[in-house]
Amino acid sequence: MDEVLLDVQALSHRFRLTRHVYIQAIDQVSFTIRKGEIFGLVGESGSGKSTVARCVMNIYRPQSGKIFYKGIDVLDRNAFSENKKMLQTGRQMIFQDSASSLNQRMKVADLITEPFVIHRLKPKSGSLRAEAEAQLLRVGMDAGYLDRYPSELSGGQRQRVAIARALSMEPELLVADEPIASLDVSIQAQIINLFQQLQRENGFSFLFIAHDLSMVRYLCDRVGVMVQGKLVEVAPTAELFPAPMHPYTRALLSAIPIPDPRRERARKLCVFDGSGLGPGALRELAPGHFVYREEAAP
Amino acid sequence: MSELLKVENLSVSFDTPQGTVHAVRDVSFSLRPGEVLAIVGESGCGKSVLCKSVMKLLPGTARVESGRIIADGRDITHLTEREMCRLRGKLFSMVFQDPMTSLNPTLPIGRQIEEAIQIHEPRIGRKALHDRVIELMELVGIEQAEERCKLYPYNFSGGMRQRSVMAIALAGNPKMLFADEPTTALDVTIQAQILDLLREIQQKLGTATILVSHDLGVVARAADRVAVMYAGKIVEIGTAEEIYYDPRHPYTWGLMQALPALAAERGELKAIPGMPPTLIDLPKGDAFACRNAWALAIDYEEEPPMFRISDTHYAATWLLDERAPKIPVPVGGKAYG
């Protein structure tokens, strides 16, 4: 549990809008994910959560900063190409909208076994089809779906196929970018339970990106809170939710809806005034509880 | 109090190449002046179709099979499009899920609100029109309205856009407001603000509101009454307190157990197994029976009628029949009181 699997150090990335205008999507973000840990990343839309995920997965090349996966600098071209196969099979990603992340023209069986074809790996179950069936069973679907197209599946089923495909490579790090945001409440619960069960069985580390705070509270071991590209608070779930320290985290947590009319109507909203975001750095204010603090200008 | 809107045994279906989709089946409910009724259910359960059929905004493939809609004492079931046009905006108006698609990207926000006012009051003077725009923008909580009415939708954040859409919807002083998932496209913090705004407007103007949502967690803040829909039918309806503290329908239990906010306290998240049925070939009996852990033999044979629990609380489940076995309610009750 203590071994660090992913170490992100001072990661920054910006996008160009016009010739001279840039948008700083992420700004000096540092965090670690230990082996077998579920790390949640929360924040409002546009706070840079997805950009972090994409940098971690080598989809974007960040402007500055370092990312170490199992001690390998994945941004270093030489180190990357030496360990290419391990890095590409060991890290897998699940996207928010499975309708667009799965190829509409491929059958479920081909979608799930495509990673084996790409990496020229021999499936454990002998044939590709047998492997697809085995993977499908793991995510709670039966062999009857093997010859279906994604358009014939419901949102929850498509997300299960996406999960089966990611897990077919037995990854050590699974990055899920809002995997349940487009699903119904009852189906969300099914997918979250599936994640929990698979994580217990396989012990992979999990970077879970979401804006649904109550789901993060339920699922994650540790949580990082992002706003305007900055990581403002990182703490174990059990500490963050009862005692948020950064003003933004407080505002965010005060907005979680409570399914109880009397308590909910009495709940006061705490509005974030934009304070506490000036130049500064993460400080460890309690063991394992990091909070972004402004540094007084010299 | 008399009812502002009364829907009686409404059934709406769509003709598709795959067959007839029974989107709304035999739905009855009423809306009193100045109350907020939330309609909750999974996607595809007919919540939006229900709202749109009251406003007659459905496409040509939709058919109202049976039932009556009485709005403000008048039967509007068979009104023509021309007559409906006069009612829309004045008697009821609607706020949609995605504010970016309901606003015109090429017109300033102020101009779009003006447009809505002018339709209702064609003879309004320029000064009065401008004052009304500012008044509406302030009503929905847009500060510095004088400057902001010249801005375009792309200058606004998601929350501000949704506020502008609400200003447009309120331009004709409607008696009823239909809000179809008004917060789904917004962040948690903004979501709470918009829900508060809905509540505030309802208190200030006395506008009755129908709030459509898929999340029971969200509506607790704003709703006076809650209707739970499943497969085109209202399966449970009652005051917010009754639904949250004393739910009776197994589907409502399932929705509550699937909420992570409650699961975090209990340490387990219970999903409803299976998927909602397609509304083309509905199974015989109760549509929820195959996903229902408490299903009785009769659920597979006959659809349950609405059982009365109190004057305001009704639920359609055979568990409420006097011959049914007594089952301890798995959620609600004292635990959250």
Side-chain angles (χ1 to χ4, degrees), chain A residues 249-260:
Chain A
T249 318
R250 257 181 243 142
L252 195 63
L253 296 192
S254 85
I256 305 178
I258 315 167
D260 178 331

Side-chain angles (χ1 to χ4, degrees), chain B residues 23-274:
Chain B
V24 174
R25 302 184 298 140
D26 197 22
V27 164
S28 304
F29 68 91
S30 61
L31 183 70
R32 283 182 280 272
E35 76 169 348
V36 179
L37 171 71
I39 300 179
V40 180
E42 287 171 277
S43 44
C45 74
K47 325 177 282 274
S48 298
V49 174
L50 181 60
C51 287
K52 287 183 183 166
S53 58
V54 173
M55 285 193 68
K56 289 198 195 290
L57 290 172
L58 291 172
T61 51
R63 259 182 306 128
V64 175
E65 301 252 341
S66 64
R68 290 205 302 160
I69 304 165
I70 297 158
D72 209 13
R74 186 171 169 203
D75 189 340
I76 60 161
T77 329
H78 301 291
L79 287 193
T80 58
E81 180 60 27
R82 262 185 95 123
E83 290 168 308
M84 281 306 290
C85 275
R86 255 178 264 148
L87 293 181
R88 287 190 204 122
K90 269 224 166 76
L91 181 59
F92 32 52
S93 61
M94 195 158 184
V95 176
F96 294 93
Q97 178 174 339
D98 186 2
M100 201 55 202
T101 49
S102 29
L103 288 170
N104 184 341
T106 63
L107 285 180
I109 295 288
R111 179 72 203 107
Q112 298 190 45
I113 302 174
E114 273 174 20
E115 207 176 4
I117 302 168
Q118 279 174 320
I119 286 170
H120 301 293
E121 296 171 67
R123 278 166 229 273
I124 192 167
R126 191 180 277 181
K127 177 78 178 64
L129 182 64
H130 181 73
D131 289 347
R132 178 89 178 112
V133 169
I134 302 298
E135 183 194 330
L136 279 168
M137 286 177 81
E138 276 163 3
L139 176 74
V140 296
I142 300 178
E143 287 159 27
Q144 298 161 14
E146 278 299 339
E147 294 97 73
R148 286 207 169 124
C149 68
K150 296 186 195 85
L151 295 179
Y152 287 84
Y154 63 81
N155 296 117
F156 277 24
S157 65
M160 296 268 281
R161 279 180 210 146
Q162 198 58 286
R163 284 173 198 268
S164 322
V165 173
M166 283 174 69
I168 295 173
L170 292 170
N173 278 325
K175 290 186 182 159
M176 277 177 258
L177 183 67
F178 292 85
D180 189 358
E181 309 243 6
T183 62
T184 309
L186 306 173
D187 280 318
V188 227
T189 37
I190 315 294
Q191 171 175 301
Q193 290 171 17
I194 295 287
L195 289 174
D196 281 1
L197 176 65
L198 266 178
R199 185 99 219 164
E200 208 184 293
I201 286 171
Q202 178 258 327
Q203 274 158 7
K204 253 191 228 163
L205 308 179
T207 317
T209 309
I210 291 189
L211 173 67
V212 175
S213 177
H214 66 269
D215 195 342
L216 259 178
V218 168
V219 300
R221 192 168 186 89
D224 296 309
R225 287 200 302 147
V226 179
V228 180
M229 265 186 101
Y230 184 75
K233 291 195 106 166
I234 291 185
V235 293
E236 184 162 7
I237 186 165
T239 63
E241 276 85 0
E242 282 164 342
I243 298 290
Y244 284 90
Y245 301 135
D246 185 25
R248 296 300 180 96
H249 197 281
Y251 181 62
T252 318
W253 300 342
L255 281 184
M256 301 263 270
Q257 287 179 319
L259 289 176
L262 296 181
E265 291 167 15
R266 275 180 304 128
E268 68 170 333
L269 188 67
K270 274 220 182 108
I272 307 176

